[in-house]
Amino acid sequence: MEVFWYALTGLLLAGYLALESIDFGMGMLIPFARSERDRERARRAVVPLFLANEVWLVAFAGLLLGALPLLEGPLLTALRIPMVLVLAAWVLRDAALWFRAALPSDGWRRLWDVVLPAASLVLAMAWGTLLAALIRGLSTDGDGHAVAALSDLAHPFSLACAAVVVVGGLRQGVLFAARRLPEADPEQARLARLAGRLHWPLVGLVLLAAVTAAGVTGAPVAVTLVGVAAALGVFASERLRTAGRPGAALLLGTAPVLALPAAVGVVNGTTVLATRSGTGALTLTEAVADSASLGLLAVVVLPVLAAIAYGQVWMWRVFAPQGPRAH
């Protein structure tokens, strides 16, 4: 039962990252837009969806507090530096999506056209760095507490994971934007070329991150298999895209982002807050709520999560339809 709640918490985070990677990519695509029409079209495509995507992060935080109450405090304390970056970039990115259309001024729109891709880039990098630090294991301070030191955040493995989330998110944004366009639209061909150019660099970054992880973690075989599976997911996504199946390509394109939270569990098992020295680490048994609280969560939370999943499917059916295809 304890493992179930830990896995469910991780699944919510993985769901958020998979959906939010599209928002990262759409934000980073703004500088590539050739006209005001294209920039506004990109903003309007993601605005109905990004708040629904963020519900998964809220659900993750709520379940973390309810099911693993002794983890939240040490986790947020240890990751305070990357979390500040996440929160700042998150607020700025959301503000840019809302405020860009608030005034008709060209200067106003240009301001938010700089903020939006910059905040999306920082948000993607921060999540990749944060998850890499958890996979590798944190440092410890003088009091023996877990902490994400600057050396953890600037480690080559952390930088590789940040690059994976950035390039993977950008490719997801390209796939999402292309999926909404008819084949006759001139922008379709340009997006197809950009997706093709991002394919092999992303595969290379995923494999580089996997090889690096194998050298800095205690589960080299398992983490390499996760990386290879993610690279195969990208390869299959590209084949599906070229075969004219953009929805399936978008789905498999989430593989690199999903690999990071999966690697946290694969490498550290039931150590929910790992350190490289072992001092300050926190195990699942130490962090999980009592059985009575977990029983209450099962009654209250599981139906809510089912409703959230249904609502997400409904939002995508209504607001993210595939564009008409030319025959």
Side-chain angles (χ1 to χ4, degrees):
M1 182 60 73
E2 294 176 352
V3 174
F4 168 78
W5 288 106
Y6 181 42
L8 183 59
T9 304
L11 183 62
L12 290 176
L13 178 61
Y16 161 75
L17 291 171
L19 294 165
E20 189 73 355
S21 64
I22 296 171
D23 301 340
F24 299 158
M26 291 295 288
M28 289 185 285
L29 271 178
I30 290 294
F32 295 92
R34 292 182 170 179
S35 65
E36 170 60 23
R37 173 178 174 269
D38 290 338
R39 286 188 288 272
E40 183 59 20
R41 181 163 60 178
R43 188 194 72 85
R44 288 182 178 179
V46 76
V47 161
L49 298 174
F50 80 97
L51 287 177
N53 297 344
E54 289 171 353
V55 168
W56 290 88
L57 183 60
V58 174
F60 162 75
L63 190 59
L64 180 66
L65 178 61
L68 303 166
L70 298 182
L71 172 61
E72 185 175 30
L75 183 66
L76 294 180
T77 301
L79 298 174
R80 56 187 177 273
I81 295 176
M83 283 305 301
V84 167
L85 290 176
V86 166
L87 291 173
W90 184 13
V91 169
L92 286 172
R93 194 281 308 274
D94 287 13
L97 286 172
W98 286 120
F99 292 165
R100 186 184 189 277
L103 295 176
S105 165
D106 289 340
W108 176 264
R109 287 194 293 265
R110 283 195 295 270
L111 169 64
W112 295 111
D113 285 346
V114 172
V115 172
L116 179 55
S120 299
L121 174 64
V122 171
L123 194 55
M125 291 179 64
W127 273 114
T129 301
L130 184 155
L131 289 167
L134 292 177
I135 294 168
R136 180 169 171 254
L138 302 177
S139 299
T140 50
D141 61 17
D143 297 323
H145 298 138
V147 61
L150 183 60
S151 58
D152 298 326
L153 304 179
H155 191 274
F157 175 58
S158 298
L159 299 178
C161 290
V164 166
V165 179
V166 168
V167 178
L170 183 58
R171 184 175 182 274
Q172 286 294 91
V174 171
L175 295 179
F176 179 78
R179 182 176 180 268
R180 295 175 58 88
L181 297 175
E183 289 182 356
D185 194 302
E187 187 69 5
Q188 180 70 250
R190 193 167 74 94
L191 289 172
R193 289 194 298 271
L194 182 55
R197 289 169 184 167
L198 290 171
H199 166 228
W200 285 115
L202 180 56
V203 170
L205 284 170
V206 170
L207 293 176
L208 174 63
V211 170
T212 308
V216 298
T217 65
V221 175
V223 78
T224 300
L225 290 175
V226 171
V228 170
L232 289 174
V234 176
F235 181 78
S237 172
E238 180 64 11
R239 295 296 297 269
L240 289 167
R241 183 191 69 81
T242 57
R245 299 177 60 186
L250 190 67
L251 182 62
L252 280 178
T254 62
V257 179
L258 293 177
L260 295 181
V264 174
V266 166
V267 171
N268 298 316
T270 56
T271 301
V272 295
L273 185 61
T275 62
R276 294 191 302 282
S277 67
T279 305
L282 192 64
T283 65
L284 178 59
T285 302
E286 295 169 331
V288 76
D290 59 80
S291 57
S293 298
L294 294 179
L296 180 61
L297 282 176
V299 174
V300 175
V301 173
L302 295 182
V304 172
L305 294 181
I308 290 174
Y310 176 81
Q312 188 77 55
V313 172
W314 181 85
M315 289 287 290
W316 270 74
R317 287 182 179 274
V318 173
F319 292 108
Q322 183 174 333
R325 317 306 286 181
H327 297 286

